[in-house]
Amino acid sequence: MPQRVTAQATTTSNEETVRRSRRPKSTAFRQQRLPAWQPVMTAGTVLPVFFIVGVIFVPIGIILILSSNEVQEKIIEYTECESSDGSKCSDYVQDSDNFGTNCSCIVEFELAEKYTGPVYMLYGLTNFYQNHRRYVKSRDDNQLLGDDVSASLASDCSPYKVYTDNVNATTQNIAPCGAIANSLFNDSLAVKWYNDSEWVDVPLKKTGIAWSTDKKVKFNNPSGSTLEEAFNGTAHPINWNKNVWELDPSDEDNNGYENEDLIVWMRTAALPNFRKPYRIIDWAEYGDGLPAGNYELHVDYAFPVTDFGGTKLMILTTTSWIGGKNPFLGYAYVTVGIICLIIGVLFLILHLKFGNKLVPDPWSLSRPLLDTVSNQTSVASNQS
């Protein structure tokens, strides 16, 4: 018997120990005694917020709108431009028999005022969905980093992954692979200015248009004594009419995967209507700007857009401290600021007119109910 009692006592002691060990410690955090703060929404705290936001946002919006309006911009649409024989270049490139050849056309335009440098030349596309999920994934970043050209490519590049030569029964990796590279914008644009006696070529700089991080980090050519040797054993994308090492033979630092036109195109746009940098005006005689006068846009038309209902644009633009011409942010600030001011004025009028009358006293609402309960309790006690 004593042994059994001892065993039971030991068991009870262990259970108490376990029970005590599961009890949370007596701290402010574990016992939920931390100090709390809850804002009290009163007229004295809410109204100043609305007025402060309105007073700050409206001037900021006006400054942004004025800065955007200072940007000079000229937009030229050349989707339906015509060649010298009067035929539309858009119809020419749609004909599969003309694959690999370009259609040349000229579009005249005028700058009414001098553009103060620096001036940037952009191209724009509409209704082109670079943000499609499968399109965005259709690339091999390791390949673009300069991996061995014979290495296995990412499956996301399919069906623009491997070129099969049925005659020789051989396969070659496509460089660069994927749908993004395969659809590279390949129109060639040039601008000429008429100086009252002859047409003068406007100097254009083709470097400095890509992000420096992309140029230095994300895109590198494979190793080799020459680029052609480095890319030996690869095939160009199906829609290209040249190899990747022929994108800019005159400048090895702007050739292959490091070509800035390719790098700019590979950074996909978020919206179906977008602009991308193409060239920078490099006219030191005019401070890298453009004089007023008559101009011609010379186009080697190769990129088809009419089959998906798109259009093509050439844009000449300057910049301000906030970037290109885009007044949306300024209008957004002004709109939010005006709305806050209007709401603040309405709330102030209501507060001055009604004061605390709009907020009933909680005690006055509960008093009738308490009186009723008290009366019923009294009646019940009297009956008993």
Side-chain angles (χ1 to χ4, degrees), residues 194-214:
Y194 189 69
N195 67 352
D196 295 332
S197 60
E198 61 179 348
W199 290 100
V200 179
D201 291 326
V202 175
L204 302 175
K205 185 170 66 172
K206 53 192 173 184
T207 57
I209 59 176
W211 289 21
S212 59
T213 52
D214 288 350

Side-chain angles (χ1 to χ4, degrees), residues 8 20 67 111 184 269 332 341 370:
Q8 291 178 352
R20 284 197 301 270
S67 298
L111 294 184
L184 175 68
L341 290 175
L370 294 176

Side-chain angles (χ1 to χ4, degrees), residues 22-36:
R22 292 176 180 175
R23 181 180 300 169
K25 294 181 180 180
S26 182
T27 62
F29 177 76
R30 290 177 177 269
Q31 298 298 333
Q32 299 184 10
R33 296 195 302 268
L34 291 173

Side-chain angles (χ1 to χ4, degrees), residues 128-377:
F128 190 98
Y129 288 81
Q130 269 200 319
N131 56 358
H132 190 282
R133 180 180 61 85
R134 291 191 62 186
Y135 182 90
V136 171
K137 293 175 60 178
S138 187
R139 59 190 293 164
D140 189 319
D141 289 321
N142 290 327
Q143 182 193 45
L144 297 172
L145 279 171
D147 276 7
D148 187 357
V149 294
S150 61
S152 179
L153 300 176
S155 59
D156 290 330
C157 281
S158 296
Y160 307 104
K161 177 180 176 181
V162 176
Y163 171 74
T164 302
D165 186 349
N166 295 322
V167 176
N168 300 320
T170 58
T171 59
Q172 294 176 315
N173 285 343
I174 294 177
C177 72
I180 307 176
N182 186 66
S183 60
L184 175 68
F185 181 82
N186 57 348
D187 281 1
S188 294
L189 308 177
V191 177
K192 291 188 176 184
W193 171 62
Y194 189 69
N195 67 352
D196 295 332
S197 60
E198 61 179 348
W199 290 100
V200 179
D201 291 326
V202 175
L204 302 175
K205 185 170 66 172
K206 53 192 173 184
T207 57
I209 59 176
W211 289 21
S212 59
T213 52
D214 288 350
K215 177 82 171 180
K216 297 176 181 178
V217 179
K218 295 184 177 181
F219 293 82
N220 292 291
N221 289 319
S223 57
S225 58
T226 63
L227 275 182
E228 184 175 356
E229 179 183 331
F231 286 100
N232 185 39
T234 64
H236 62 71
I238 297 172
N239 285 349
W240 290 20
N241 57 6
K242 62 176 69 174
N243 293 296
V244 67
W245 66 83
E246 298 172 323
L247 291 177
D248 189 2
S250 61
D251 185 359
E252 286 197 5
D253 293 332
N254 190 45
N255 204 2
Y257 293 152
E258 298 176 12
N259 178 261
E260 296 200 21
D261 288 329
L262 174 64
I263 295 174
V264 167
W265 181 257
M266 295 296 290
R267 179 169 285 277
T268 53
L271 300 174
N273 302 335
F274 58 85
R275 300 175 176 185
K276 290 179 181 286
Y278 182 71
R279 296 291 183 265
I280 301 175
I281 305 301
D282 189 23
W283 213 344
E285 181 180 352
Y286 294 96
D288 293 335
L290 290 172
N294 297 317
Y295 287 83
E296 287 182 345
L297 172 65
H298 290 247
V299 182
D300 282 341
Y301 200 113
F303 192 85
V305 294
T306 54
D307 56 344
F308 56 84
T311 58
K312 296 193 289 188
L313 311 170
M314 187 280 294
I315 305 103
L316 294 172
T317 180
T318 60
T319 58
S320 67
W321 62 275
I322 58 170
K325 192 178 186 69
N326 187 2
F328 171 78
L329 186 61
Y331 289 133
Y333 267 91
V334 171
T335 301
V336 173
I338 292 176
I339 291 175
C340 288
L341 290 175
I342 292 174
I343 294 175
V345 171
L346 291 177
F347 281 3
L348 180 60
I349 293 173
L350 292 175
H351 176 66
L352 295 176
K353 185 175 183 180
F354 298 101
N356 294 329
K357 295 180 181 179
L358 291 177
V359 182
D361 184 8
W363 174 252
S364 65
L365 293 177
S366 60
R367 185 60 181 270
L369 179 61
L370 294 176
D371 292 342
T372 302
V373 173
S374 177
N375 293 334
Q376 291 177 351
T377 303

